[in-house]
Every structure is written in structure tokens, then in C-alpha cells.
Amino acid sequence: MSRSLWLPGATLALTAAAALSLTACSSDSSNPAADDGQLLVATTVAPITSIAANIGGDKVNVEGIVPEGTNSHTFEPAPQVAELLSTADVIFVNGLQLEEPTKDLAEANMKDGAEIVDIGDEVLPEDQWIYDFSFPEEDGKPNPHLWTDPTYAAKYATVIADTLAERDPDNADYYRANEEAFIAKTDELASALRADQKTVPDGNLRLLTYHDAYAYFAKTFGWEVVGAVQPKNFEDPTPQEVARLIDQVKAENVPTIFGSEVFPSAVLEEIGRATGARYEDTLRDDDLPGAPGEADHSWLGLMRYDYITMIEGLGGTADELKAVTVENVAPDEAVYPQ
Ligand SMILES: [Zn+2]
């Protein structure tokens, strides 16, 4: 993991080794794209890369930008990413202001006729954006995590299919068929979730998370986000904030608090100890499970994993979710930077 690549402000401090490996990586993946006549599609976070790969299959070249395990909210692309952005035909970003530095680099480098598609902005009108503790309205950046809600992931698939079909009409039927198959999987996942969440004792569908990635999911599926630990600067909360959270967890009888793979936090452990709540530290919002090439390494694998973890963490059973087959609906040949 080349952490220095994506820490804010660290792009100029690349080690020689990291710079070398990045150059090697981008030329390996970009050169075939230039030759085969297929669209080159750049994407940002891994869940969007996975959805784009499911729609584009083997008819497009998909290359992600944000390395998995990275804090995507503070990610700044290395200068070398400009090479990919200058050759891409389409640049899919989540939008809702998640990837402003990447968009800036894209706008400065993209070729004639290329376009940036802000997927989230297309599927959710601005008056429905959610602001909260980690994404306060006065800062102007809404909670961007639409893809953790399968009903929005389905809409992402449609925006991607619309875009690819328009740019590559010869393969439009292929993209449309993949869109339909992918949406069927999102429906299957949503139905399994609705069934399994009924098993959580006392209807206690309450989430106290470290990283606040489930705001839209909660609204759609009737969960309550009782709090998020991570302040807007993505650092640990202050001792006063921790004390307040401990009081809140005790007062609301939250049985389990959920941490994030990408943001290991001693603070959550402390809150768990002080309140008796169980600390479940493996939720992930944009770091796919498994390794590229494995079925679980996908949007579907990611969300199925999170929902099972939440439901079991709250004392329910997840038999329906476990019965959902995790598979890509088209071959996933995308590049996922690690
Ligand atoms: Zn996030």
C-alpha cells in the first residue's frame, strides 16, 4: 500500500519507488486501451468502478483512480493520474462534491470530446442531499454515500448504461442487457435486506458508525443513524465529543457500534469499553472485499458484506442475504489500484 500517494498534500512527496510503480501501472493499463478502439472509462472509487465494469463488461476499458483502502474524501490524485484523465473518453465520478481535486485535474487535462459524468448529481436532486455531523451544511459538502443504498446503485447503473450506449451505439444492447441484469441483483439484495432486517430484536435498526456512510441507505430502509463519530476533518473527535458520544450510546442503549476498515479508531474501542456496546470494526464503504478478480470484490460483494455485518451485529440473522449469489453480470476486467 503506497499510502503517501493519497494523503492530502502529499502528492509532491512521492517516493521514487512509488512514482515508478505508479507509472508502470498506468502505462500497463492505458496502452491497450489506446489500441483496441474501445471506450476508455475512468472512474474514481472502487464501488463505482465495479458498477461501471458490470455495465461495460468486455466492451470498454475501465480504470479506477482512487486506490482501495484510501480515504476517498480527502484523496488528491497524483500528477501521474493526468495521463489517464487525458486519454479517457468518459470520467465517471460519484459527484456530490466527493472528488473535487480529481475533477479539477480532469478538467485541466481531458481531451476534446471527453466528458465528466457526476453520477450522484444526476440521480439525486440537490434539495434531497443530506447534511449531518460529518458533512455539515455550513461547509457545503453533502454526505456523498449514495452507492451504499441499492436503490441508488441501480440508478447509477442506468446513468452509466445511458452514457455508454450514447457513446458506443453499436454495443448499446449489450450495455442495456447488463444494466437490466445488474438492477435485478440490486433488487434481489434489497429484498433480502428487507427480509433479514425484520429479525433484528425489537426493531432496533439503529446505527452508530464511525464513518457516516449510510445516511441515504437508512432513509430508504427505515434505519436510524443515531450518530457518527468522525468529525468533518476526518480526525478523531475531541475528548468532549467522545464524552458526549458515550452518554448518547448509554442513553439510547445502542448494542453495537460500527467502525470502518478504512478508518481504524481507538476512540470507538474506548466508547465500546465505556458503554459495554460491542465494537464491530469492519464496515467498509468503498474498499471492496477480497482481491480484484474475485466475485466478492464487487459492489454487490461489498454491500452484502456490510448488511450482513450490520444485521448480525444488532442480533439478527442474515439468511436471505447470505443466499444472494455474489456475481458480476459481465466480466469485470477493470483496473483497481490497490
Ligand atoms: Zn466514505
Side-chain angles (χ1 to χ4, degrees):
M1 291 282 294
S2 34
R3 245 156 218 273
S4 62
L5 287 183
W6 41 261
L7 283 172
T11 46
L12 298 175
L14 287 174
T15 63
L20 260 177
S21 73
L22 197 115
T23 308
C25 166
S26 75
S27 58
D28 281 347
S29 49
S30 301
N31 283 346
D35 300 328
D36 62 11
Q38 296 190 334
L39 291 174
L40 177 58
V41 173
T43 55
T44 52
V45 289
I48 295 177
T49 307
S50 171
I51 299 172
N54 271 268
I55 306 306
D58 52 13
K59 307 290 188 206
V60 301
N61 294 294
V62 180
E63 184 162 346
I65 293 171
V66 182
E68 290 187 77
T70 301
N71 179 352
S72 58
H73 303 268
T74 54
F75 172 76
E76 299 198 11
Q80 290 88 332
V81 172
E83 187 188 326
L84 167 63
L85 294 168
S86 69
T87 46
D89 300 290
V90 182
I91 300 149
F92 286 119
V93 302
N94 179 71
L96 277 73
Q97 297 171 44
L98 175 63
E99 305 108 324
E100 299 307 285
T102 303
K103 277 180 69 180
D104 290 345
L105 191 66
E107 275 157 11
N109 289 283
M110 56 202 270
K111 66 182 185 185
D112 284 349
E115 68 180 315
I116 301 172
V117 180
D118 282 86
I119 307 176
D121 297 63
E122 294 206 11
V123 306
L124 188 73
E126 197 171 334
D127 62 2
Q128 292 172 41
W129 293 3
I130 294 178
Y131 297 90
D132 46 34
F133 174 70
S134 307
F135 302 94
E137 183 145 30
E138 62 267 26
D139 284 23
K141 285 180 92 166
N143 193 316
H145 300 95
L146 284 173
W147 67 86
T148 59
D149 177 336
T151 66
Y152 286 113
K155 292 177 177 154
Y156 277 38
T158 296
V159 170
I160 291 167
D162 287 347
T163 308
L164 298 184
E166 194 185 316
R167 295 220 150 224
D168 178 22
D170 288 351
N171 290 312
D173 290 347
Y174 176 80
Y175 304 134
R176 290 296 174 205
N178 290 342
E179 175 199 0
E180 198 177 316
F182 184 82
I183 291 175
K185 293 304 287 186
T186 67
D187 288 346
E188 188 188 345
L189 187 72
S191 301
L193 169 65
R194 286 190 195 280
D196 284 342
Q197 72 181 35
K198 290 192 186 120
T199 67
V200 171
D202 307 320
N204 198 8
L205 301 174
R206 298 198 299 167
L207 286 177
L208 184 104
T209 59
Y210 186 74
H211 185 56
D212 187 10
Y214 306 94
Y216 300 95
F217 155 86
K219 197 174 168 197
T220 301
F221 290 90
W223 290 54
E224 185 192 351
V225 177
V226 296
V229 177
Q230 190 173 48
K232 64 184 180 187
N233 59 8
F234 295 97
E235 288 169 5
D236 270 341
T238 63
Q240 292 87 336
E241 285 166 337
V242 172
R244 209 169 55 228
L245 282 159
I246 288 171
D247 289 344
Q248 190 187 358
V249 169
K250 283 181 179 163
E252 306 210 27
N253 250 323
V254 178
T256 304
I257 51 180
F258 293 95
S260 160
E261 194 96 339
V262 176
F263 302 98
S265 167
V267 165
L268 272 193
E269 271 182 275
E270 183 188 335
I271 296 173
R273 266 197 310 273
T275 61
R278 201 165 75 80
Y279 172 37
E280 165 57 63
D281 66 351
T282 64
L283 288 188
R284 1 168 114 230
D285 69 318
D286 51 23
D287 185 14
L288 308 181
E294 295 172 7
D296 275 336
H297 186 268
S298 59
W299 172 86
L300 186 62
L302 170 73
M303 294 328 304
R304 190 184 78 140
Y305 173 84
D306 276 349
Y307 302 156
I308 291 172
T309 303
M310 289 174 187
I311 286 173
E312 291 186 341
L314 294 170
T317 52
D319 297 343
E320 299 287 329
L321 284 163
K322 287 176 180 170
V324 173
T325 319
V326 174
E327 59 194 350
N328 289 307
V329 303
D332 181 351
E333 295 168 0
V335 176
Y336 292 89
Q338 298 293 303

